[in-house]
Amino acid sequence: MAAVTEEILEHLAAVSFVAGRDARAALPAVAPLGAAAELRYLETGRDLFFYDREAGKGFFHGTAELVAAFGGLDPWLEQSRVFLTQRGTFRAAVGFFAQAAALRRTLGAEAELVWFDVGTRWLAQHVDSAAAYFRLPVLTLFGSEGVAGLQALMAPAEALLQGRLGLGTYLPGALRVRALCGLEGVAEWARRGADVLAAGRVRGEAWFRLESEEARSFLLEILPGFRLGVHKRLFLLLLQAWTGLQPPLEDGDWSAEGGRAFVETDGRSLFVPAVMPDREEALLAFYHTGAHLAFGSYEEEAIHALFRELGMAHPPLDAEQRVTWRPLFAQFGQDLLRFQMIFDLCEDLRVDACLDREMPGYAARLLRLAQRRGRPTGVAGAYYDAALGMLAQLGAGTLPEDLAALAQPRSGIVDSFRVALERYGDTDLPPLGLADRSQAYLPGRSPNAARPVYPTRRHPAREEMELDGDGGLGAAGHEEEPREMPQEAAGNDPDLEIPPEDIQGTGGRVGVGIPMPAKVTGAGRGAKGPKGGFAYREWDYRHQSYKEGWARVHERALREEDGAEAAALAKEYAGVLRRMKRALQAQKPTRMAPLRRQFEGEEPDLEAAVQYVVERRAGHAPKANIYLQRRPRQRDTAVLLLADLSTSIMAAAGDGGVRIVDRLRAAMLLFGEALVEVGDPFALYGFASKYRDEVLLYPIKRFGDPFDARRRAVLGGLSGRLATRMGAAVRHSTALLQKHPAQRRLLLILSDGRPADYDDGGDSRYLQEDTRMAVKEAQDRGVHAFCISLDPRGGEYLPLVFGPGHYLVLPHIDSLPQRLPEIYLRLRGHQS
């Protein structure tokens, strides 16, 4: 060893025992390169260690791998000296020394040079960004696109640095966007993010971290795959055709960065993600998840029996009376996910066998898709293979004895649980974590116990039926008495659940007061409505008394939005809107209200002035607030517009092809614009019903919500659904108005017909009388109710319900958009 080399080693040891030790330990890897190479190496290591101890340690620790990967000291030794040019580079240096060798071995010399050059540019501009860059795992950074992919990933970041956004914020989000949407998606996401960043730093950082709702929504817009939005109704109809079910659809809580997308259920609704990999998987997911509802996975008696297997008399329920599954799996401790997966394998096989009997070829479709999709990596692949094998055996008729029992028509979820217990006791499937579990399911399948569930009653379509002597379908040969019932019309209804009854007859428009004879056979209503909600009494004129807690109101968000339709309506009525806004300027508050006891003003406040003089003469020093000011008086009026969204609004309004709903959308849009202009607090709600225990109120805009693009888009997507139980909707709206602090409260009801529902027995007077009492109750509570009706026969019953002067029948539907704001302003003026 040369003397100068030994001198450097001793110098390092004198400064730091650790440095001397690490240098000597690293030197054997360099010694074969010659004395000159040793000296050059130690000089660089010494300089780095004296510059920053952590950088020096990283240098010595990485030496052996770096020399082996590069075949010597070049070019990494010279590259390492770049970290001497800036202060605070130790984190970047440590990342470089830890990863350069692996990058050189796996991706080659060109990739290492490009990686280093990009990092060097960032080191000169922003040291913290360079540290985030060099410390990020290189294989993650390059992805599958290689050098071109790295350059495309980093290109947008250069411009973002001008907005003071570093790589520590940009890279984690960019990598997730690339994984989901590809490099083109990253470029588009970064371009939009630059505008967001320019509008506000906090908002921009939330965008690039994917923490804001606008960023997540944007990802859904650019995410490749099959978009379910416009197809959900079709898929639901196909599910109904095969299973007899049409559950409500809800937007799933899946997010673009949240991993694999599943269709899930809570025993009542289907929760549907915005995007799935392809159409076939989306359709099979609808079938499979719906089949769990149809074939008893969440049936109440079966769930009770399942928990009795564990010695529990009743399943645990949460605050919403949903079954929570965790106690079912908690007995398996840390291994609960493994048992849950085995249980899902057995129950999915049972359900798919049931569905395959109803839908021949379903299992073969699922098998083909699973084989085409390919086995996931890691431990998830073992479960995927197990599910694939079971499905193949089902198709070939070669299931082992225990699984064959699950393919029998009378099997249930308790049988699946018992088979899962036996298989768990003798399984070679590996333990797994949550991330592995999400990848372990076949396409179309999903975790069965991911959500708490509402236990369901046995579905009527699955119960045994037989023909009676006359050939009519009845329960055990009994033909039920026919009853009058309004029949449901066609409409685009995300909450639609067609009653499981065989309805024959011409039907009538629900909500317009023309119930037609309808012969109803079967078991009547198939299921109770959802639990929870708000209970209200209902007036029964036949007994002249209230039925306490008889009707239940549920607030439910409208999921359909159509911003394009809202924009088209705004353009169509632009002239009307301009004229209306000019007219509204005259409606601005002009009456002057006095403000007393002011320190300055137009005239003296006599009462305050007298008191001031009296206190002065008494020897006090009163404040000279003895003036009176006059200011424009604000009309303190709050209004809630309640729109009837029954199926009848989907009907044509005349020979021109215009539907009632078209004018309703425009009217509510102009009404909102008018209220924004005049400044009164307002709320927009729609309502519909399906039986007394499921009266649905749809908040379009609550008090306090802005009337923004989203609310306008909801108005643009309004559609008809179900029936018109108006009394309960009026009572709930009254309660909402009473919570508002305004002195005057107006409930403006927009309807196209008389109250009606599926369980009113054909008695048109029953719900009409209940609505009359609800309006009277509102008046007693200080809420003024006024009805605008589109029903040409409204004059027959509206005076009885709302009273003379408290309703208006519009003879021409086309005038509704213009008239609605005018009517409100007149009512407002009368109340001031």
Side-chain angles (χ1 to χ4, degrees), residues 92 95-96 99-100 103 106-107 111-122 129-157 167-168 170-179 182-183 186:
F96 170 79
Q99 299 202 87
L103 176 57
T106 53
L107 298 182
E112 194 276 334
L113 286 173
V114 171
W115 174 68
F116 175 77
D117 287 343
V118 171
T120 301
R121 290 199 302 272
W122 279 93
S129 289
Y133 172 83
F134 278 116
R135 292 167 67 91
L136 193 69
V138 288
L139 296 182
T140 301
L141 191 58
F142 278 84
S144 60
E145 297 87 358
V147 170
L150 172 67
Q151 293 171 328
L153 180 74
M154 297 300 297
L167 292 184
Y170 169 79
L171 277 177
L175 289 171
R176 282 191 285 171
V177 174
R178 184 182 68 182
L183 287 169
V186 172

Side-chain angles (χ1 to χ4, degrees), residues 247-251 263-272 289-290 292-293 297-299 303 318 320-325 446-456 530-531 556 559:
L249 299 182
E250 304 283 353
D251 289 340
V263 175
E264 297 175 332
T265 183
D266 63 354
R268 178 185 297 166
S269 303
L270 293 189
F271 293 85
V272 184
T289 311
H292 277 286
L293 296 175
S297 291
Y298 308 112
E299 197 266 320
I303 292 178
D318 66 6
E320 297 184 37
Q321 302 301 300
R322 299 176 301 182
V323 170
T324 56
W325 295 106
S446 57
N448 299 326
R451 295 173 176 269
V453 297
Y454 297 97
T456 59
K531 297 178 182 179
R556 184 171 295 171
R559 304 296 184 185

Side-chain angles (χ1 to χ4, degrees), residues 432-568:
L432 76 170
L434 283 172
D436 299 313
R437 187 186 71 164
S438 68
Q439 300 301 319
Y441 289 93
L442 299 185
R445 291 183 176 179
S446 57
N448 299 326
R451 295 173 176 269
V453 297
Y454 297 97
T456 59
R457 301 286 180 86
R458 187 177 298 277
H459 193 266
R462 302 289 155 209
E463 295 179 349
E464 294 294 329
M465 297 287 188
E466 61 184 50
L467 293 176
D468 63 13
D470 297 325
L473 183 63
H478 172 68
E479 182 177 359
E480 296 186 2
E481 292 295 324
R483 59 190 175 98
E484 299 291 327
M485 185 176 192
Q487 184 175 348
E488 190 164 4
N492 188 15
D493 174 21
D495 304 302
L496 181 63
E497 184 181 21
I498 295 177
E501 301 159 343
D502 178 22
I503 302 178
Q504 304 170 6
T506 57
R509 280 175 54 202
V510 173
V512 293
I514 317 175
M516 302 295 289
K519 180 181 178 182
V520 181
T521 59
R525 186 174 181 191
K528 290 184 179 179
K531 297 178 182 179
F534 303 85
Y536 292 98
R537 61 183 183 175
E538 193 166 271
W539 175 255
D540 188 340
Y541 78 95
R542 295 163 297 195
H543 299 93
Q544 290 295 296
S545 64
Y546 282 104
K547 298 175 180 177
E548 296 296 334
W550 186 252
R552 300 196 77 85
V553 174
H554 305 265
E555 290 194 14
R556 184 171 295 171
L558 286 170
R559 304 296 184 185
E560 298 165 315
E561 298 180 11
D562 192 339
E565 175 67 13

Side-chain angles (χ1 to χ4, degrees), residues 110-308:
E110 181 190 1
E112 194 276 334
L113 286 173
V114 171
W115 174 68
F116 175 77
D117 287 343
V118 171
T120 301
R121 290 199 302 272
W122 279 93
L123 197 65
Q125 299 180 87
H126 193 235
V127 172
D128 288 341
S129 289
Y133 172 83
F134 278 116
R135 292 167 67 91
L136 193 69
V138 288
L139 296 182
T140 301
L141 191 58
F142 278 84
S144 60
E145 297 87 358
V147 170
L150 172 67
Q151 293 171 328
L153 180 74
M154 297 300 297
E158 299 281 351
L160 294 171
L161 187 60
Q162 304 301 320
R164 297 183 296 116
L165 186 85
L167 292 184
T169 300
Y170 169 79
L171 277 177
L175 289 171
R176 282 191 285 171
V177 174
R178 184 182 68 182
L180 291 164
C181 308
L183 287 169
E184 291 184 2
V186 172
E188 195 171 347
W189 168 75
R191 278 195 298 271
R192 181 75 65 87
D195 296 336
V196 176
L197 185 65
R201 181 168 181 77
V202 173
R203 180 182 164 198
E205 289 181 349
W207 172 280
F208 284 104
R209 290 194 184 104
L210 300 180
E211 293 174 351
S212 66
E213 187 60 38
E214 60 179 332
R216 290 190 285 268
S217 298
F218 179 77
L219 275 190
L220 290 178
E221 293 177 15
I222 65 174
L223 193 68
F226 180 76
R227 301 184 176 278
L228 279 79
V230 297
H231 303 281
K232 286 190 289 190
R233 298 294 302 167
L234 171 62
F235 285 8
L236 196 57
L237 290 173
L238 293 172
L239 176 63
Q240 183 195 14
W242 289 110
T243 66
L245 295 178
Q246 197 174 28
L249 299 182
E250 304 283 353
D251 289 340
D253 54 9
W254 173 82
S255 61
E257 69 274 18
R260 184 173 168 186
F262 294 117
V263 175
E264 297 175 332
T265 183
D266 63 354
R268 178 185 297 166
S269 303
L270 293 189
F271 293 85
V272 184
V275 183
M276 292 194 75
D278 54 49
R279 184 182 188 277
E280 180 72 352
E281 179 169 346
L283 184 55
L284 292 180
F286 262 76
Y287 288 154
H288 176 81
T289 311
H292 277 286
L293 296 175
F295 299 111
S297 291
Y298 308 112
E299 197 266 320
E300 188 171 27
E301 292 181 7
I303 292 178
H304 278 267
L306 192 61
F307 278 86
R308 281 198 298 271

Side-chain angles (χ1 to χ4, degrees), residues 255 305 414 800:
S255 61
V414 178
L800 302 175

Side-chain angles (χ1 to χ4, degrees), residues 588 671-680 682 701 707 712:
K588 295 285 186 180
F671 178 82
E673 300 290 357
L675 269 291
V676 169
E677 182 71 19
V678 83
D680 287 349
F682 71 102
K701 177 197 173 299
F707 190 58
R712 292 180 176 91

